[in-house]
Amino acid sequence: MLTRIKDLAANLAPRLIEIRRHLHSHPELSGQEFQTAAYVAGVLSSCGLQVKEGVGKVGVVAELVGAGMDSRLLAIRTDMDALPISERTGLEFASRQPGVMHACGHDVHTTVGLGTAMILSQLGQPLPGNVRFLFQSAEETAQGARWMVQDGAMEKVTGIFSVHVFPTIPAGVIGVRYGALTAAADDLEITILGESGHGARPHEAVDAVWIAAQVITTLQQAISRTHNPLRPVVLTIGQISGGRAPNVIADQVKLLGTVRSLHPETGGALPNWIERIVASVCQPYGARYQINYRRGVPSVQNNMAMTQLIESAAEEAWGSQGVQIIHEPSLGAEDFSVYLQYAPGSMFRLGVGFRDRHNYPLHHPQFEVDESAIVTGVVTLAYAACKYWQQSEHLLHA
Ligand code: NI
């Protein structure tokens, strides 16, 4: 089976690079991936899959029907959106859309998803059960996965795989992580409400700027003293606004931030914890406050058995030098976690780094990928999919 998959992938390689370059030069922003979705649907239809467009707003869902011997349904999820970045790679297939760029590799993800669909539909024998391919919109804004789920994309799904490119892992290597891969990411908005007054007579006013400064300092200090250091939390205030003039005491300051955590209990307790700190700073000075805490996406928790499938597929395909076990989670966020609320799954990292030159990070205007990684990703994913039905059932719900 592996030899067949590798042969198919080698034959498809030029076509896959062509697809990836087409997607790369025609990037679309989150929620507006209309042309990308139509292109994806066209490729999937030509593979003989049952294709549905407009799922999760702009997403595409396609089902590869198996032999019906096993009712377990495997989903393979990729994302299609690009970023509001002006590309500076100088590549001949660089973005033709001013100010929009595939700088997070979602063009590669989409290509790997399509390549996997092509291979699994050309195996010459049906798989024991069905495979559902999910091409979601709007991952960068953390909305697309919820839209897909609301439209029933996870109905009957019993396991799910996904992939994200990683420039610090060289092409040809698959990064595998057991347990937490990414963090929960929530949005925080704190408004400090003081009392305006003359800058020369602070005692007659309540200075919202001074109190906001203390709120920020106290939050950062209290995090290190009141949270278990082995359970990471990051709170970043990235935007601050308030005040009207240098000699007028500000009556209102708004703080906007992001809060990241890995452990569900830690994350669950954060809104109350933040409120306690803010109240303790505001109350002695007569300031009021409003806190708006919005839950974003949960942490991606990779399932043990599903991750093992990826690891063994990659190891059989590429040898032990083709697999890198990732020992640390990231505090980045990924809305793949939304699907994991419905079925166990695993997201792996696809190395796309060049071995002989500098690799720019994700979201950088000069971000590039070593395209040989596409075949590595397609073979790994297709082979892991083939192994899915060989797992005994109880393991996959551990
Ligand atoms: Ni991304």
Side-chain angles (χ1 to χ4, degrees), residues 37-55 59-65 114 117 131-133 135:
Y39 180 86
V40 163
V43 175
L44 293 166
S45 301
S46 71
C47 300
L49 274 66
Q50 300 172 353
V51 182
K52 256 197 279 181
E53 291 181 71
V55 182
V60 180
V61 171
E63 199 126 333
L64 177 64
V65 178
L114 290 173
V131 183
R132 187 178 295 163
F133 293 88
F135 293 84

Side-chain angles (χ1 to χ4, degrees), residues 81-250:
D81 53 330
L83 286 158
I85 291 175
S86 292
E87 178 158 353
R88 288 198 280 115
T89 59
L91 291 166
E92 63 179 36
F93 55 91
S95 170
R96 294 187 197 165
Q97 194 66 43
V100 186
M101 176 188 178
H102 269 297
C104 197
H106 297 194
D107 51 340
V108 174
H109 305 166
T110 303
T111 307
V112 168
L114 290 173
T116 305
M118 289 173 180
I119 285 180
L120 293 181
S121 62
Q122 290 172 24
L123 283 176
Q125 60 184 89
L127 293 163
N130 290 12
V131 183
R132 187 178 295 163
F133 293 88
L134 312 181
F135 293 84
Q136 76 164 76
S137 118
E139 192 284 324
E140 294 291 350
T141 54
Q143 295 169 295
R146 286 209 177 84
W147 294 341
M148 294 293 274
V149 165
Q150 279 161 13
D151 274 358
M154 285 299 280
E155 270 167 28
K156 300 194 181 123
V157 171
T158 51
I160 184 163
F161 288 133
S162 192
V163 54
H164 204 294
V165 300
F166 222 67
T168 55
I169 299 176
V173 177
I174 298 290
V176 174
R177 165 79 187 159
Y178 287 88
L181 178 73
T182 63
D186 302 330
D187 294 325
L188 175 63
E189 182 184 316
I190 303 171
T191 309
I192 307 297
L193 299 160
E195 197 68 50
S196 200
H198 196 295
R201 287 190 287 281
H203 57 291
E204 294 172 2
V206 178
D207 185 350
V209 164
W210 171 65
I211 291 167
Q214 285 200 56
V215 164
I216 295 169
T217 306
T218 311
L219 282 169
Q220 297 303 359
Q221 291 180 343
I223 272 191
S224 82
R225 299 294 86 188
T226 60
H227 280 108
N228 180 346
L230 297 176
R231 298 195 159 185
V233 180
V234 169
L235 187 157
T236 292
I237 300 292
Q239 198 178 337
I240 174 166
S241 56
R244 275 182 288 270
N247 60 350
V248 176
I249 287 175

